[in-house]
Amino acid sequence: MNILDKIVADKRKEVALRKSLIPVKQLEQSILFTRTTNSLATALKASSSGIIAEHKRRSPSKSVINHNLNVFDVAKGYEDAGVCGMSVLTDGKYFGGSLDDLLTARANCNLPLLRKEFIIDTYQIIEAKAYGADVILLIAAILTREEIKTFSELAKSLNLDVLLEVHNEEELHKSIMPSIDMLGVNNRNLKTFEVSLEISKALSTLIPNDFVQVSESGISNIEAIKILQPYGYKGFLIGENFMKTDNAGASATAFINALNQ
């Protein structure tokens, strides 16, 4: 069993428990459930930098990244830096995140917020909306085409953007459908954790122009973005690069300023 299989097995147990504690009806009564969402896809299309900055305390591949930065400061810092959107890890066991992180970020910035999570149930999409997300992540490696269709159509009915993440050509082909806004290519092999920008380059030619292209993982310098922009990428998800510093917002500001020079 690889790490992805382990995460999904644990996620199924976790979601079953949460469903038993908080019914969908209760989530739908959340004050945030009726708020107007901000489109990340629209923000990326209009941006020259395309940075989606992440709040991530730890990961299975790197263990602890930073436990000292609080979401309140990070969200404010990212917004001041002029990022296009913020990704918030809500998985507790493997990434040290929580839905409370999403709430805190929502209370402190107007950025489009991505709930970065291993979504395996429609319940988590309703949860994302109730906790203030604007975007959900769907991971093709753990979903069937039918699930991608069901989940993305539910998200669209709630006015949430959908970022669909792929790792290879097979996943890309099963994922292309009108209810997807953005196609994210993960440069990290989720089974081995090796990273290569070649994955983004190779898949770029197969992504139809209707979708906003996002490159994820392994983007730690301006050169990587400059290499990928000619391949049609408009969005770049950056987490560890900012989070491993003492001030994620200042780090993002310096990065974007250097990129735009």
Side-chain angles (χ1 to χ4, degrees), residues 1-40:
M1 195 188 250
N2 62 47
I3 185 70
L4 193 55
D5 295 333
K6 280 201 191 87
I7 292 172
V8 171
D10 285 333
K11 191 58 62 182
R12 291 196 190 285
K13 291 180 201 153
E14 180 197 316
V15 172
L17 176 63
R18 285 222 299 275
K19 281 166 94 169
S20 71
L21 296 172
I22 304 174
V24 165
K25 281 265 184 288
Q26 193 175 326
L27 290 173
E28 290 172 343
Q29 285 161 4
S30 148
I31 194 158
L32 292 171
F33 205 79
T34 53
R35 68 174 273 275
T36 305
T37 50
N38 301 324
S39 170
L40 177 60

Side-chain angles (χ1 to χ4, degrees), residues 9 23 32 35 42 78 92 113 121 157 160 174 187 190 201 220:
L32 292 171
R35 68 174 273 275
T42 303
Y78 281 161
L113 294 183
D121 194 294
S157 76
L160 295 171
K174 80 170 179 187
N187 300 305
L190 287 185
K201 289 185 193 173
S220 56

